[in-house]
């Protein structure tokens, strides 16, 4: 009997420890309408601080404008920087018990399960979370979830390449007409781009990469930079496959998805920090992100019930040549990530230029 009592006591202590760290604590499921959360956020002070992964400081101005227009009196303080830098700064805040950021939206998908296990994230289910694809969220704790699908397509400027009707494969980019025309992000400087190259070379081999180098591409830092360069009239480069512009990336720019190797797609992932200084404002922001109102504005929704405005690609799960869950597995395999990074660094050298590059182009 004493052994049984001891075992039960140990089990109880384990449950208490898990609950303390937030491992098994049930999430708070939001039932309030958006306007009620809005009122609570205004009473709290009307400010939410968000760190968002990206390349250019003004990259999320449209999100800021949309949120503040939808909720007058609210201020969205949004900082955009590379996710690989922001996650370390979040760790510093957690270590120093000095959390001043409310919400985080990052590309470093491997961080979210770790932070959840450390008890750093708020277990909170916004309205609409039940509609999010199961693969894009922590269904148990509701501590993190994708909010929008990002993807790299093949993109080119039709004005600069008037004779190119379509680019349907990565192999096409090795054709003579693309000599000196490509602008690409260093794969050893961004894990999503690294995964893009990894998937291509799994299908086409290192021979393809050798051929790519012979095309004399311009290598840059930041994934917004290639689209900026190929769109600008004062730069000669005209094509890329390492930029995200959605289905409508701009005037004179077309996109296509490759048919000879997989392209990268993933749910850009969001969470509220458990000790966020403005929890009601953060909840308002996250409920807005997952609302049908906002999800209908993104290229590809994370919600199963909302279809894309592009009739050819109604949702991410039915686009050929991509697996939106594969990038998360890749990001968790840090041994493979580091091995590949050094492979490309050995071929290309370390990434050169400002990071982000916006002030240098």
């Amino acid at each position: 009997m004493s052994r049984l009592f001891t075992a039960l006591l140990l089990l109880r202590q384990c449950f208490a420890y898990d609950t303390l760290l937030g491992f098994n604590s049930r999430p708070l499921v939001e039932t309030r309408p958006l306007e009620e959360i809005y009122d609570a956020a205004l009473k709290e002070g009307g400010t939410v601080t968000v760190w968002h992964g990206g390349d250019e400081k003004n990259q999320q101005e449209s999100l800021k404008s949309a949120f503040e227009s939808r909720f007058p009196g609210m201020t969205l303080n949004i900082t955009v920087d590379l996710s690989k830098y922001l996650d370390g700064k979040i760790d510093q805040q957690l270590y120093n018990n000095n959390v001043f950021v409310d919400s985080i939206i990052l590309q470093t998908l491997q961080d979210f399960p770790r932070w959840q296990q450390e008890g750093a994230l708020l277990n909170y289910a916004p309205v609409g979370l039940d509609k999010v694809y199961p693969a894009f969220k922590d269904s148990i704790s509701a501590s993190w979830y994708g909010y929008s699908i990002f993807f790299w397509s093949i993109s080119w400027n039709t004005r600069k390449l008037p004779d190119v009707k379509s680019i349907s494969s990565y192999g096409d980019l090795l054709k003579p007409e693309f000599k000196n025309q490509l602008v690409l992000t260093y794969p050893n400087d961004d894990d999503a781009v690294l995964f893009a190259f990894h998937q291509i070379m799994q299908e086409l081999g290192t021979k393809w990469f050798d051929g790519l180098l012979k095309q004399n591409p311009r290598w840059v830092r930041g994934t917004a930079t290639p689209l900026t360069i190929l769109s600008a009239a004062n730069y000669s480069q005209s094509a890329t496959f390492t930029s995200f512009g959605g289905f409508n990336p701009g005037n004179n720019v077309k996109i296509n998805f490759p048919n000879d190797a997989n392209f990268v797609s993933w749910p850009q992932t969001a969470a509220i920090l458990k000790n966020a200084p403005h929890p009601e404002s953060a909840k308002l922001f996250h409920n807005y992100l997952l609302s049908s109102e906002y999800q209908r504005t993104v290229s590809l929704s994370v919600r199963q019930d909302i279809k894309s405005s592009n009739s050819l690609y109604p949702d991410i799960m039915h686009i050929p040549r991509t697996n939106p869950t594969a990038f998360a597995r890749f990001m968790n395999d840090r041994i493979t990530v580091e091995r590949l990074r050094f492979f490309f660094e050995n071929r290309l050298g370390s990434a050169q230029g400002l990071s982000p590059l916006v002030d240098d182009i």
Side-chain angles (χ1 to χ4, degrees):
M1 183 65 70
S2 61
R3 289 182 179 178
L4 178 60
F5 178 79
T6 301
L8 289 173
L9 181 61
L10 288 173
L11 185 61
R12 180 179 178 183
Q13 290 174 338
C14 287
F15 279 128
Y17 180 71
D18 282 355
T19 300
L20 177 65
L21 292 183
F23 293 171
N24 293 316
S25 57
R26 293 181 179 179
L28 172 64
V29 178
E30 186 60 78
T31 59
R32 295 174 295 174
L34 204 56
E35 296 307 314
E36 188 174 332
I37 307 172
Y38 175 29
D39 289 339
L42 288 174
K43 291 176 182 177
E44 185 183 65
T47 298
V48 57
T49 299
V50 177
W51 281 6
H52 197 301
D55 304 291
E56 299 180 358
K57 293 178 180 180
N58 63 351
Q59 213 166 13
Q60 294 301 325
E61 284 302 306
S62 60
L63 176 57
K64 175 179 172 65
S65 177
F67 179 76
E68 293 179 351
S69 296
R70 176 64 177 81
F71 303 105
M74 292 296 300
T75 299
L76 176 56
N77 290 330
I78 190 161
T79 297
V80 177
D81 201 351
L82 300 178
S83 295
K84 64 181 182 180
Y85 298 149
L86 292 179
D87 65 346
K89 294 178 180 178
I90 292 294
D91 282 332
Q92 289 177 0
Q93 290 182 41
L94 296 172
Y95 179 79
N96 294 322
N97 195 26
N98 180 33
V99 173
F100 57 85
V101 172
D102 299 303
S103 171
I104 49 178
I105 301 175
L106 302 176
Q107 177 183 304
T108 50
L109 304 188
Q110 78 279 8
D111 286 319
F112 291 93
R114 173 176 65 86
W115 283 326
Q116 190 277 327
Q117 291 173 7
E118 293 171 355
L121 305 180
L122 185 66
N123 295 346
Y124 171 74
V127 176
L129 184 63
D130 60 318
K131 301 293 195 300
V132 173
Y133 287 100
F136 300 161
K137 63 186 176 183
D138 185 334
S139 298
I140 297 174
S141 72
S143 60
W144 53 263
Y145 30 82
Y147 93 97
S148 181
I149 302 298
F150 284 16
F151 56 84
W152 306 148
S153 58
I154 299 175
S155 307
W156 71 99
N157 188 313
T158 57
R159 179 168 291 179
K160 294 180 182 179
L161 295 169
D163 296 327
V164 174
K165 303 305 178 185
S166 179
I167 306 175
S168 58
S169 71
Y170 294 118
D172 284 346
L173 298 174
L174 304 188
K175 292 179 179 178
E177 55 263 39
F178 296 108
K179 179 84 170 183
N180 301 317
Q181 291 295 312
L182 303 178
V183 52
L184 303 170
T185 306
Y186 284 99
N188 45 311
D189 198 40
D190 184 287
D191 285 350
V193 179
L194 184 69
F195 188 46
F197 276 82
H198 176 55
Q199 289 192 121
I200 296 169
M201 292 170 64
Q202 282 184 316
E203 298 268 359
L204 306 181
T206 55
K207 182 179 179 181
W208 171 86
F209 183 63
D210 293 337
L212 185 72
L213 293 182
K214 292 178 182 178
Q215 296 291 68
N216 191 35
R218 177 179 177 179
W219 297 99
V220 298
R221 304 190 73 181
T223 57
T225 308
L227 187 59
T228 300
I229 288 176
L230 74 86
S231 300
N234 54 329
Y235 293 99
S236 61
Q237 290 81 17
S238 58
T240 191
F241 58 86
T242 64
S243 253
F244 172 64
F247 291 121
N248 299 295
N251 294 333
N252 305 313
V253 178
K254 282 189 175 182
I255 73 162
N256 206 352
F257 294 123
N259 59 24
D260 57 348
N262 283 3
F263 67 93
V264 177
S265 63
W266 76 94
Q268 191 80 336
T269 297
I272 299 173
L273 291 170
K274 188 171 70 174
N275 294 326
H278 309 105
E280 292 298 331
S281 299
K283 290 174 184 176
L284 176 65
F285 178 63
H286 281 244
N287 277 273
Y288 175 65
L289 289 180
L290 293 188
S291 68
S292 58
E293 174 186 348
Y294 180 77
Q295 287 292 308
R296 289 191 178 97
T297 70
V298 300
S299 295
L300 288 167
S301 176
V302 295
R303 289 178 47 154
Q304 302 176 69
D305 61 328
I306 295 178
K307 302 304 180 185
S308 163
S309 59
N310 188 306
S311 59
L312 292 176
Y313 309 110
D315 61 74
I316 185 59
M317 296 304 186
H318 292 89
I319 299 180
R321 282 296 190 175
T322 192
N323 179 351
T325 69
F327 181 53
R329 292 194 295 272
F330 176 77
M331 292 293 277
N332 276 306
D333 185 359
R334 303 313 294 175
I335 294 175
T336 297
V337 170
E338 292 303 309
R339 175 177 57 80
L340 288 170
R341 180 178 292 128
F342 288 124
F343 167 83
F344 286 106
E345 185 173 307
N346 183 55
R347 299 294 302 273
L348 301 174
S350 59
Q352 302 297 309
L354 298 178
S355 178
L357 189 62
V358 65
D359 296 326
D360 194 41
I361 61 175

